Amino acid sequence: IILPLLGMIMFFHEDGAPGSAYPKNEPVLVERKFGRGRTTTEVVNRPISKVEHVVNSIYMATLSFFQGSYEQSVVSVGGKIHLLAIASFIMLILAVYTANLAAILTQDANKTSIDSIEMAAKQGMNFCAERKIAQIAMESYGIDPR
């Protein structure tokens, strides 16, 4: 929920600013056909809906999170401040991930320490031995063969 919100806030900062990634119109080449195979082409400014910009800004915010950088031109002061917030958020998530991964990889596994055969027998561990040695161990330490 944070990434779409950051994307929409960036759109509202940059909407309609000169040179921003969210212009109000975009030039489109239009080809018109007349009778007998005659065609003309002209450049027409097509208005861009707010929905297109919001979808694009959500996409860019999500993409910037996974890339680790925001690669879109920002021209307004509010957009630049917001870009610092996005970069700080990305840095915080990467730092938390790195710290948690380091903690997981460096922790000691919970192993039971066994100092003697008596302790292993009390914990119910299995033994593998020849019949004669197994018989002597079972009699010496009171181990039930089952």
Side-chain angles (χ1 to χ4, degrees):
I1 192 160
I2 291 176
L3 292 175
L5 180 65
L6 289 174
M8 286 188 288
I9 292 171
M10 181 60 84
F11 163 67
F12 289 115
H13 280 300
E14 293 286 306
D15 184 31
S20 80
Y22 306 104
K24 295 194 182 290
N25 298 313
E26 71 178 343
V28 177
L29 186 63
V30 177
E31 184 177 288
R32 296 183 186 183
K33 295 183 179 184
F34 297 103
R36 299 188 183 236
R38 291 185 332 150
T39 60
T40 62
T41 57
E42 63 180 324
V43 176
V44 178
N45 281 331
R46 179 184 74 92
I48 303 173
S49 69
K50 301 258 187 227
V51 173
E52 285 182 64
H53 284 315
V54 168
V55 169
N56 184 39
S57 65
I58 291 171
Y59 168 76
M60 288 304 295
T62 306
L63 185 64
S64 70
F65 175 76
F66 290 110
Q67 284 183 337
S69 67
Y70 194 80
E71 296 182 12
Q72 188 169 338
S73 64
V74 179
V75 294
S76 69
V77 173
K80 290 177 183 178
I81 293 171
H82 186 74
L83 184 58
L84 287 173
I86 290 174
S88 299
F89 175 72
I90 292 170
M91 184 184 68
L92 176 73
I93 295 298
L94 291 175
V96 168
Y97 169 75
T98 303
N100 283 336
L101 182 61
I104 289 169
L105 293 177
T106 58
Q107 73 182 5
D108 291 334
N110 293 333
K111 295 180 182 177
T112 56
S113 60
I114 299 172
D115 296 339
S116 64
I117 293 180
E118 293 91 2
M119 188 178 289
K122 287 179 186 175
Q123 290 183 5
M125 300 191 113
N126 293 327
F127 294 93
C128 180
E130 293 179 4
R131 287 183 194 246
K132 290 182 183 181
I133 297 174
Q135 188 66 32
I136 294 169
M138 286 188 291
E139 290 172 3
S140 300
Y141 298 108
I143 299 173
D144 186 17
R146 287 175 234 130

